[in-house]
């Protein structure tokens, strides 16, 4: 018997956690964080407590209470909370469609021997997030064993095991595009799709009851070619019994494509004499490429943040399609931190380095490293990425008259995001960068595209996920096809 149970992504955008059971085997499609559920209980200074392990997350429903939890969640957390832990793993693996938080972040809470399957690009993005994030819940590739004591090396007594010493490797396995992974009677086939970050995949899960297709998140445009169209063809060939389909933009019409973004950014930059400042998602390599292409054709240099530079370093040699770090039109913007010594003459390198995290330091020595002073001096030569949390950098850079600001992220989706935008607007007004340009293309297919996708794949049943409006699917599926709107935690036999 095969079944599907949806523990996340139900009537919400993201937080996907879908359990596939077949012949005694249990695998997960994604294990992501739900922003909406998290926002209901937590805020910047109201956070789950580390000492409670998984308890705070279970309490408010961010992590599901599962049968056999003792063989699923990490033993260090369970044991510290006095919960049951098993000797072996009770689940067989987690397949990550892509590295966005709402699909992948909660693997942090899983015991380390449960295999995590993802594309090489997803693995590198998660490595970059793990290294650069300040969150205490980002053990993706490295599993930092917590709440452990060991005897002191010299003298009596005990000490806490921390840092490098606590690091163990997770069983993280790279799957190639087109590869099939066999787990008991289940075969999971991974296929690349277009999305707003590289390395995204959809899955065809071959169960004993038939094929189940999972879209992950996808769109039909982008520079990666027609990956999503190819995914749809392959999915149709499998003659699936079920399709688990994302519906983020089920109510929306087609918007801009990535190429449109590049064209419009190009127009704005052509009309800009001085500095071009942009905010776009740091992991969205396609967006980076759109800005990079404009920089290249307009004779500017695209100044990347340190985080982006680190990500590009990890993505070297992958098929992510990222610009090269040593390209003539790429610069690395070393923003001032801590004591701000990067722009103060006379300090030895090792002292300056102390303003930066270990992973940031090597970029200080790159020939294309630039500071706020370089950008201030040659404003017409740069396009620089400044995101919301770096807006104070405008004080260091001092954009001259004739500069512009391009906002290349999604429109605010909730009240909190609206307040954030208002704050950003105050900064932009203060520096004469208002009105700004809003130029963005979504990472998700439109309602019409989803309708066509479902018709082409032709499953018997559609399970809408990753949408606030699953009912809309009932209106758009072809006659004879059934829509089952999943309820959280309910098991559906297929
Ligand atoms: Zn998502
Ligand atoms: Zn996504």
């Amino acid at each position: 018997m095969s079944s599907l149970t949806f523990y996340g992504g139900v009537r919400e955008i993201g937080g996907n956690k879908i359990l596939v059971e077949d012949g005694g085997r249990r695998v997960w499609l994604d294990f992501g964080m739900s922003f909406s559920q998290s926002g209901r209980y937590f805020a910047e200074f109201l956070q789950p407590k580390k000492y409670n392990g998984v308890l705070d997350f279970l309490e408010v429903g961010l992590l599901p209470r599962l049968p056999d939890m003792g063989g699923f969640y990490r033993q260090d957390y369970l044991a510290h909370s006095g919960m049951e832990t098993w000797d072996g793993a009770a689940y067989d693996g987690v397949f990550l469609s892509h590295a966005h938080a709402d699909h992948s972040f909660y693997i942090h809470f899983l015991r380390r021997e449960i295999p995590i399957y993802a594309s090489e690009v997803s693995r590198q993005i998660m490595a970059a997030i793990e290294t650069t994030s300040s969150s205490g819940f980002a053990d993706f590739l490295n599993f930092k064993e917590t709440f452990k004591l060991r005897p002191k090396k010299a003298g009596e007594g005990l000490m806490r095991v921390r840092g490098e010493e606590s690091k163990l490797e997770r069983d993280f396995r790279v799957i190639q595009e087109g590869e099939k992974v066999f787990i008991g009677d289940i075969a999971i086939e991974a296929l690349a799709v277009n999305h707003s970050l590289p390395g995204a995949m959809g899955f065809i899960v071959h169960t004993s009851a038939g094929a189940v297709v999972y879209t992950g998140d996808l769109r039909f445009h982008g520079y990666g070619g027609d990956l999503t169209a190819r995914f749809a063809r392959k999915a149709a060939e499998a003659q699936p019994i079920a399709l688990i389909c994302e519906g983020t933009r089920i109510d929306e019409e087609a918007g801009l494509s990535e190429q449109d973004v590049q064209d419009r950014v190009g127009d704005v930059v052509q009309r800009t004499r001085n500095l071009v400042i942009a905010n776009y998602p740091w992991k969205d390599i396609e967006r980076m490429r759109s800005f990079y292409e404009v920089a290249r054709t307009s004779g500017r240099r695209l100044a990347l943040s340190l985080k982006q530079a680190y990500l590009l370093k990890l993505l070297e040699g992958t098929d992510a399609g990222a610009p090269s770090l040593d390209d003539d039109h790429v610069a690395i913007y070393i923003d001032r931190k801590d004591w701000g010594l990067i722009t103060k003459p006379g300090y030895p390198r090792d002292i300056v380095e102390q303003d930066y995290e270990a992973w940031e330091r090597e970029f200080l020595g790159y020939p294309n490293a630039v500071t706020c002073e370089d950008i201030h001096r040659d404003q017409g030569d740069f396009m620089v990425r400044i995101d919301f949390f770096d807006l104070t950098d405008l004080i260091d850079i001092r954009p001259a008259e004739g500069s512009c600001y391009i906002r290349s992220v999604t429109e605010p989706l909730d009240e909190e995001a609206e307040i954030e935008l208002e704050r950003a607007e105050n900064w932009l007004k203060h520096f004469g960068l208002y009105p700004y340009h809003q130029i963005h293309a979504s990472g998700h297919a439109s309602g019409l595209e989803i309708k066509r996708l479902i018709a082409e794949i032709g499953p018997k049943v559609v399970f809408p996920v990753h949408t606030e409006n699953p009912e809309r699917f009932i209106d758009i599926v072809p006659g004879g096809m059934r829509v089952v709107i999943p309820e959280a935690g309910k098991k559906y036999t297929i």
Side-chain angles (χ1 to χ4, degrees), residues 98 100 102-103 195-197 217 443-444 466:
H98 62 292
H100 276 151
D102 59 321
H103 296 257
H195 187 38
S196 50
L197 97 173
D217 285 353
H444 302 277
H466 206 284

Side-chain angles (χ1 to χ4, degrees), residues 130 142-145 162-169:
E130 177 174 299
N142 295 294
F143 182 103
K144 292 181 221 77
E145 214 176 348
R162 289 183 192 264
E164 282 302 310
E165 201 188 335
S166 68
K167 266 188 195 171
L168 298 167
E169 230 171 89

Side-chain angles (χ1 to χ4, degrees), residues 468-481:
E468 287 173 344
N469 200 355
E471 282 80 10
R472 274 290 289 145
F473 278 73
I474 298 166
D475 313 327
I476 64 159
V477 301
M481 202 180 280

Side-chain angles (χ1 to χ4, degrees), residues 46 55 77 92-93 153 181 238 252 275 329 335 385 387 389 396 452 470-471:
L46 174 61
L55 283 182
Y77 285 15
D92 298 289
K153 282 190 181 118
V181 176
E252 288 174 49
L275 187 59
H329 292 280
D335 54 337
R385 176 176 179 276
D387 75 12
F389 299 103
D396 297 337
R452 287 194 196 125
E471 282 80 10

Side-chain angles (χ1 to χ4, degrees), residues 52-119:
N52 265 340
V54 293
L55 283 182
D56 292 3
F57 292 85
L58 291 171
E59 180 71 33
V60 301
L62 278 167
L63 288 174
R65 284 189 188 277
L66 296 166
D68 312 332
M69 282 197 294
F72 188 51
Y73 295 128
R74 41 194 296 174
Q75 293 125 300
D76 52 351
Y77 285 15
L78 293 177
H80 196 68
S81 314
M83 295 167 76
E84 183 199 5
T85 72
W86 290 24
D87 283 340
Y91 290 80
D92 298 289
V94 180
F95 288 77
L96 300 181
S97 63
H98 62 292
H100 276 151
D102 59 321
H103 296 257
S104 64
F105 270 20
Y106 282 179
I107 65 166
H108 168 89
F109 297 101
L110 307 187
R111 53 198 288 154
R112 72 185 185 94
E113 67 270 44
I114 292 179
I116 308 293
Y117 298 87
S119 68

